[in-house]
Each structure stands twice: as C-alpha cells, then as structure tokens.
Amino acid sequence: MELNPQDATLAAYERGAQQYAERTAAAPAPEVDALLARVPAGAHVLELGSGPGRDAAALESAGLTVDRTDGAAAFVQAQRAAGHAARVLDVRADDFGGPYDAVFANAVLLHVPRTALAGVLATAHRACRPGGVLVASFKKGEGEAWTQVKLDDPRHFTYWDEAGLTAALTAAGWTPERVAESTLPDSVERWITVIARNAASLPA
C-alpha cells in the first residue's frame, strides 16, 4: 500500500533522523526569541516537532519548561538517549494535553495537509490556557511540493500565504497577533512566522 504524503514524510524522518540533525544549523530559530518575548519566566511550553532538540534547548536555557514531542520515534529516542524527557505525538490524531502557557511549532505544521490545518490548530488551542500564545513557522508559497533537501528521502510540504494562515487561525479559535513574512537574507526559501493568542475567557 502506498503511503500518503504525511506518512511518507514521517517515514523519511524516522530513517533520516541522524542525517537531519547533522544537516540542521546549530543556532536556534528566530521564533525562539519571538516566544521568549511573549511568555513569563518559567512558562510551560508544548513544542510540536522538537526534532533534534535545538530550539527546546534554547528555550530551556532561558528558563522555560518544555514538553518535547515529535511525530518521529527516532527523534524521541535520540532525545531520551541525551537525557531529555520526550514523547511521540502525532499532531493529526493525538490530544496534546495541557494546559500550556504556549505552543511552539517551528517548521513542523507545514507538513499538515491544507484541509487539516485548522483542525490541528484547534487542538493546539484547546491545549493552551487563556492568554497563552502560539508561535509557529510555515513555508511561504503556493500549492504543495516534495523536496530532498536535508534528507535523501523526500518530504512533502504545504505552502501558505498570510491570508490563508490568518483564516485557519481564526477558524481554530486563535486571535492572530502577527502573521508576516520572516524570510532571512540568506534563506533559499520564503517563510511566514505566525504569532497568535488564545483570547478565550480573557477579561475585556
């Protein structure tokens, strides 16, 4: 049976976790600073798609508590072997737990099919306490594509624009704070950073 694009992408990460770690820059993503500017010291953060753990380490170094998760068991096993608590979480099907002060998803929800993103964002919304924040990043563009950059096995991506992401956030119950292009000067691809709040039950 042929795997769907998301399962095929997950299988690529399972086989290539070490290769992906070796080919990923050591510096944390800019979204780390965006999150740190919006949560209090000691905040409890759910990270979706922790991968090699680079961004989680930066958040923890800043005093946050991070619940490290990934859809690929290979990444989770590597993090546990390095002494970190981590769990397997499939964003398409699993409950996220919580409540958390923030949900952080750097370059992971871009693997979710376009029609399923609002549902995944709604699950993240339920996992985040009132006043909590979502920080995530997506590839900017049109349509969908496969790529073998970073891994020998192909991975599938869904591309987004600001209007589409804003609509998905709103449908999921989030209040968008910033949805804007965040492409770095040396990047070969374009990116959008999303920052949104769970405004439910907040005083007017």
Side-chain angles (χ1 to χ4, degrees):
M1 181 182 297
E2 184 177 352
L3 294 177
N4 67 41
Q6 290 72 47
D7 287 336
T9 297
L10 194 57
Y13 282 120
E14 295 284 13
R15 290 188 293 265
Q18 182 175 349
Q19 184 181 69
Y20 183 86
E22 292 169 350
R23 295 180 178 180
T24 298
E31 284 73 20
V32 167
D33 287 337
L35 179 61
L36 292 174
R38 289 168 173 81
V39 295
H44 192 189
V45 179
L46 169 65
E47 183 180 29
L48 303 176
S50 295
R54 174 198 67 180
D55 293 338
L59 293 169
E60 289 166 348
S61 294
L64 276 56
T65 298
V66 181
D67 184 358
R68 300 176 180 222
T69 74
D70 204 280
F75 282 132
V76 170
Q77 291 163 2
Q79 295 213 39
R80 288 174 177 172
H84 303 289
R87 62 186 172 104
V88 175
L89 189 153
D90 186 336
V91 300
R92 301 169 297 173
D94 294 340
D95 181 79
F96 293 177
Y100 296 95
D101 298 304
V103 177
F104 184 79
N106 176 47
V108 59
L109 298 181
L110 39 63
H111 296 306
V112 175
R114 194 175 309 280
T115 56
L117 182 64
V120 173
L121 291 173
T123 304
H125 186 264
R126 290 192 296 272
C128 196
R129 69 178 76 255
V133 64
L134 167 73
V135 176
S137 62
F138 297 82
K139 290 180 184 287
K140 180 171 181 173
E142 298 179 354
E144 306 172 10
W146 292 88
T147 180
Q148 287 180 267
V149 174
K150 282 195 177 183
L151 288 181
D152 295 337
D153 290 323
R155 296 174 294 148
H156 185 267
F157 294 93
T158 300
Y159 293 85
W160 288 89
D161 61 21
E162 291 87 343
L165 287 171
T166 299
L169 288 164
T170 303
W174 292 98
T175 299
E177 182 178 303
R178 182 174 184 269
V179 180
E181 183 164 353
S182 55
T183 306
L184 297 175
D186 60 348
S187 177
V188 296
E189 295 185 290
R190 299 174 72 188
W191 290 85
I192 296 174
T193 295
V194 163
I195 301 169
R197 290 279 180 182
N198 178 358
S201 302
L202 285 178

